[in-house]
Amino acid sequence: MNTVAPVKISFKQQMLQAREDAIIRAVNQLLAEKGFEAMTVDEVAAQVGIAKASLYKHFPSKEDLAAAAMAHLMGQAQAFLDTVPLALSPLDKLRTVVRWTMGLKLGGEMPSLPSQNSTLRATLMGNRAYMDGLVDVSDRLGGWIEAAQAQGAINPRLPAIAVLYTLYARACDPVLEFLKMSELHTDEEIIELVLSTCFDGLNAR
Amino acid sequence: MNTVAPVKISFKQQMLQAREDAIIRAVNQLLAEKGFEAMTVDEVAAQVGIAKASLYKHFPSKEDLAAAAMAHLMGQAQAFLDTVPLALSPLDKLRTVVRWTMGLKLGGEMPSLPSQNSTLRATLMGNRAYMDGLVDVSDRLGGWIEAAQAQGAINPRLPAIAVLYTLYARACDPVLEFLKMSELHTDEEIIELVLSTCFDGLNAR
DNA sequence: GTCTATATAGCGATAGAC
DNA sequence: GTCTATCGCTATATAGAC
């Protein structure tokens, strides 16, 4: 008698999950397009094709919408890290990840949040999925950074945390969009250019 | 008979200028603290100590307030460029300027604007003082960049415009505030750290 | 859970007296 | 030019029917 119920529940949950996935995709795109402050909940609802009040049944606030999008992004990052070839050197692993984040940014799929909004920060830090993902990603990148420094591939005199921040910052680097606006280079050229300035620096070698 | 009038006019203009300077200082600080969207005109008026309606007698919109602050920043930048020792190499001149911008940022004096807001962009581009300052600063930095590349100090294979954007981006680099929040380094150490990653890159040399 | 309709509040901008 | 008071709009969030 309880052989059917799990299926019905699972189906309902699948519908719920699909709806929430659609919401998160819309939020992700709008966050990438206009940023958190300029994104309105009405736009999100319109893009998903549901009423605004329905949105609030899924997520209790605009901040939680953004946090869910960031948690989703962390999940994507974790999945990408799993695909990075083990055979690569730690340095090349890091370069691969940074290439991926810059590709997302140039493709308009990288949500951007203001680092100054305090209520948003509180919601983010209260989101377990996001925080767990962030810690996992940071740990794995941190391991590669330390390995690359031990090999002498990355400057060992730089604090590992500074290297990590520098790599994260490439995901929201305004140089990417400025170069894209100039329309002088393809996305791939822009990525290799910024990757070069990031790892090799501006100075001649 | 016209020996007094100019003085009275000049005095009035001085008062006006002083008032507008106070406004711009307030806008600059609030823009650095909270960004354009989070800054409210009421806060600006309160900080200056005048009524909001009085603000609108000086500047016709919130966007114009921000543009005036950016124009003031460009004036500061031009003044700083004048103080850079001629004896320095082009590379060291650039490093000096970037150090200065990062010091402003860490000191909470670097106004930050969203690069996506279209009406703000329009107001900025319609502000002659800002645009003229930006062009002048960019020209002078561009000259130093090309000289440094000709000397082989800066990688000649990088487009000069990409180098310019990369230097500008240090003024709003989130790595600065993240390192400051970690409270592991002094402002000077942070500046030298980011300066090193910018010019020397992450890779070991 | 989804909808329509509405409450509530904050903000940019203005009216009008002085 | 400065003030007080207010308009008009937009945006987050909610009430209540279905």
Side-chain angles (χ1 to χ4, degrees):
Chain A
M1 71 206 242
N2 53 7
T3 58
V4 175
V7 173
K8 287 184 75 171
I9 289 175
S10 170
F11 177 71
K12 272 191 181 174
Q13 285 179 342
Q14 276 186 13
M15 295 302 293
L16 192 85
Q17 191 62 43
R19 169 67 47 100
E20 297 200 344
D21 281 353
I23 294 172
I24 287 173
R25 271 195 304 275
V27 171
N28 227 297
Q29 178 198 320
L30 287 169
L31 282 182
E33 234 172 61
K34 342 176 49 168
F36 179 75
E37 326 251 9
M39 175 187 83
T40 71
V41 179
D42 289 85
E43 285 172 331
V44 177
Q47 177 122 348
V48 179
I50 63 177
K52 179 167 53 170
S54 305
L55 258 189
Y56 278 95
K57 298 287 183 178
H58 290 272
F59 300 94
S61 75
K62 182 184 177 182
E63 282 77 13
D64 286 281
L65 279 174
M70 294 306 292
H72 181 249
L73 175 66
M74 282 300 150
Q76 286 182 294
Q78 289 173 301
F80 182 82
L81 290 186
D82 289 335
T83 72
V84 175
L86 288 172
L88 291 182
S89 69
L91 178 63
D92 281 333
K93 286 177 182 160
L94 293 172
R95 292 170 63 94
T96 301
V97 176
V98 174
R99 265 199 203 89
W100 175 71
T101 62
M102 293 196 294
L104 283 185
K105 167 83 174 170
L106 283 172
E109 301 171 49
M110 178 63 73
S112 79
L113 299 184
S115 58
Q116 296 157 324
N117 185 324
S118 61
T119 76
L120 179 57
R121 282 188 68 86
T123 304
L124 274 175
M125 296 186 48
N127 186 308
R128 173 150 301 190
Y130 168 72
M131 287 303 291
D132 288 353
L134 178 61
V135 169
D136 179 43
V137 170
S138 298
D139 279 349
R140 287 153 85 173
L141 292 180
W144 292 345
I145 290 170
E146 289 173 1
Q149 288 184 309
Q151 291 180 359
I154 283 188
N155 185 350
R157 287 165 51 186
L158 296 173
I161 188 72
V163 178
L164 181 65
Y165 289 160
T166 301
L167 298 181
Y168 274 148
R170 282 331 106 220
C172 58
D173 194 336
V175 172
L176 291 170
E177 52 198 277
F178 277 114
L179 286 176
K180 191 177 180 78
M181 276 195 304
S182 77
E183 294 183 338
L184 294 171
H185 305 87
T186 66
D187 284 5
E188 285 71 26
E189 288 170 343
I190 293 173
I191 288 176
E192 294 309 314
L193 203 50
V194 176
L195 203 64
S196 166
T197 63
C198 176
F199 284 94
D200 302 327
L202 297 175
N203 291 350
R205 296 228 157 202
Chain B
M1 71 205 241
N2 56 6
T3 58
V4 174
V7 174
K8 285 183 79 171
I9 291 175
S10 170
F11 177 72
K12 271 191 183 177
Q13 285 180 342
Q14 276 186 12
M15 294 302 293
L16 192 84
Q17 190 62 41
R19 171 64 47 97
E20 297 199 343
D21 281 353
I23 294 172
I24 287 173
R25 269 195 306 274
V27 171
N28 227 295
Q29 177 198 321
L30 287 168
L31 282 181
E33 237 172 59
K34 341 175 50 168
F36 178 76
E37 326 253 7
M39 175 186 83
T40 72
V41 180
D42 290 85
E43 285 172 331
V44 177
Q47 177 123 351
V48 179
I50 63 176
K52 180 164 55 169
S54 304
L55 258 189
Y56 278 95
K57 298 288 183 179
H58 291 271
F59 299 95
S61 74
K62 182 185 177 181
E63 283 76 16
D64 285 282
L65 279 174
M70 294 305 291
H72 181 249
L73 175 66
M74 282 301 152
Q76 286 181 296
Q78 289 174 300
F80 182 82
L81 290 186
D82 289 335
T83 73
V84 175
L86 287 172
L88 291 182
S89 70
L91 178 63
D92 281 333
K93 284 177 183 161
L94 294 172
R95 292 170 63 95
T96 301
V97 176
V98 174
R99 266 200 202 87
W100 175 71
T101 62
M102 294 197 292
L104 283 186
K105 167 83 174 169
L106 283 172
E109 302 171 48
M110 178 63 73
S112 78
L113 299 183
S115 57
Q116 296 154 325
N117 185 323
S118 62
T119 75
L120 179 57
R121 281 189 69 87
T123 304
L124 274 175
M125 294 185 52
N127 185 308
R128 171 150 303 191
Y130 168 73
M131 288 302 291
D132 287 353
L134 179 61
V135 168
D136 178 43
V137 170
S138 297
D139 279 349
R140 288 153 83 174
L141 293 180
W144 293 345
I145 290 170
E146 288 172 1
Q149 288 183 312
Q151 291 181 358
I154 283 188
N155 186 349
R157 288 164 51 187
L158 296 173
I161 188 72
V163 177
L164 181 65
Y165 289 159
T166 302
L167 298 182
Y168 274 148
R170 284 328 107 219
C172 58
D173 193 337
V175 174
L176 292 170
E177 50 198 277
F178 277 114
L179 286 177
K180 191 178 180 77
M181 277 196 301
S182 77
E183 296 185 335
L184 294 171
H185 305 86
T186 67
D187 284 5
E188 285 70 26
E189 288 170 344
I190 294 173
I191 288 177
E192 294 309 314
L193 203 50
V194 175
L195 203 64
S196 167
T197 63
C198 176
F199 284 93
D200 302 327
L202 298 175
N203 291 350
R205 295 227 158 203

